[in-house]
Amino acid sequence: MGEISLVVLGQVVATIIGLIVAAAKTFKFVHEGEMGVKLRFGKVVRKRDGTPWIISPGFVLLIPWVETLKRHHVRRQTVNLADQKIMTKDGLIFNISAMFIFRVRDIYKALFEIDDLESSLCDLCMSELRDVISSREYEKLADTESLSKEVLERLREETSEWGVDLRRFGLTDCSPTPESAQLVVACKGAEVKAEAIFEAANKLKIKIGDVPPSLAAVLVGVPLVATAGVKVV
């Protein structure tokens, strides 16, 4: 008698567990700020016109073990890209960091046209950013707004196929590494000193090659005089 009671009790417990599991698979919720798509036997449930049946926020009833629900938030999201070092066209290394803001416009494409949307967006943004930075000389990197706009235009062409609306892209840091900064300062100093030679030549109304070596050496230093085309005697 006692064994029969244990068997009955086990069956009751198993039935209750089964009902709980079935209920968990039957009743789902799409939360506010999310959109969902229902799948039946792994295929997207579609309307009569063939378009995907998009599930709005609220209660969703599923057939257990037959239907499943995939969902994704559609709110605006801000993503910060990992810092990276990028070499410019003229060989200098810059520390680059950026951020972008996006929202899902087409939930079906965001779920099924690309695998791991956020990670793919980050990879694409870093790739386009690297292409833009590496094609510029360091002097052109001062206009970060123009660079950001160019990257954004490139990204919008790609991400439109993923059902994503890219709202903004911006550089948060674009500065040379300490080693490159020294080269930048040296280049700027050389430019200023070279301009001094040409200005002195214009004032004296002589050709650059005829600037007195002693004057050139005082203005820019002996190592830079030869660069300007002035012979030191």
Side-chain angles (χ1 to χ4, degrees):
M1 191 72 178
E3 293 180 357
I4 296 176
S5 298
L6 290 175
V7 171
V8 173
L9 179 61
Q11 292 176 343
V12 171
V13 171
T15 301
I16 293 174
I17 293 175
L19 291 173
I20 293 174
V21 172
K25 291 181 175 293
T26 301
F27 304 106
K28 295 290 184 179
F29 289 92
V30 176
H31 301 287
E32 193 68 33
E34 293 182 335
M35 298 292 282
V37 176
K38 185 187 291 187
L39 287 81
R40 184 174 296 147
F41 295 114
K43 293 184 178 181
V44 173
V45 177
R46 297 178 179 273
K47 300 177 182 178
R48 291 183 178 180
D49 61 1
T51 58
W53 186 4
I54 306 301
I55 308 298
S56 299
F59 174 78
V60 183
L61 182 63
L62 303 174
I63 302 174
W65 297 284
V66 174
E67 295 179 336
T68 55
L69 177 69
K70 294 196 71 172
R71 56 196 175 189
H72 196 286
H73 65 79
V74 293
R75 300 180 298 271
R76 287 191 183 187
Q77 184 176 354
T78 301
V79 179
N80 292 308
L81 297 176
D83 296 344
Q84 54 181 325
K85 297 183 185 299
I86 302 177
M87 180 180 292
T88 62
K89 186 178 181 179
D90 43 9
L92 298 179
I93 306 298
F94 272 64
N95 293 314
I96 303 295
S97 60
M99 56 77 67
F100 64 93
I101 300 174
F102 77 98
R103 70 181 296 272
V104 173
R105 171 177 44 81
D106 188 321
I107 187 65
Y108 174 78
K109 289 183 177 181
L111 288 173
F112 299 104
E113 290 293 333
I114 188 70
D115 183 33
D116 194 349
L117 179 62
E118 283 82 359
S119 178
S120 298
L121 282 173
C122 288
D123 291 342
L124 178 63
C125 287
M126 287 193 289
S127 176
E128 293 292 351
L129 179 59
R130 183 175 294 275
D131 286 345
V132 170
I133 297 296
S134 61
S135 66
R136 298 286 197 283
E137 296 179 347
Y138 81 90
E139 293 180 337
K140 301 293 182 62
L141 301 186
D143 188 359
T144 56
E145 183 176 353
S146 176
L147 292 173
S148 299
K149 287 182 178 179
E150 181 175 348
V151 175
L152 181 60
E153 290 176 0
R154 290 190 179 194
L155 291 172
R156 279 178 171 165
E157 294 180 4
E158 296 280 347
T159 57
S160 62
E161 300 179 0
W162 300 351
V164 170
D165 182 11
L166 202 61
R167 296 297 182 89
R168 182 184 174 191
F169 181 92
L171 289 167
T172 55
D173 183 30
C174 184
S175 58
T177 61
E179 297 78 10
S180 293
Q182 294 178 359
L183 293 175
V184 170
V185 172
C187 289
K188 289 295 184 182
E191 290 177 3
V192 171
K193 292 179 179 180
E195 288 176 1
I197 290 182
F198 287 99
E199 184 177 352
N202 289 332
K203 288 183 177 180
L204 295 173
K205 296 182 179 181
I206 58 176
K207 296 180 180 180
I208 186 64
D210 297 330
V211 174
S214 57
L215 175 60
V218 171
L219 289 173
V220 300
V222 174
L224 292 175
V225 171
T227 303
V230 180
K231 296 180 180 181
V232 180
V233 294

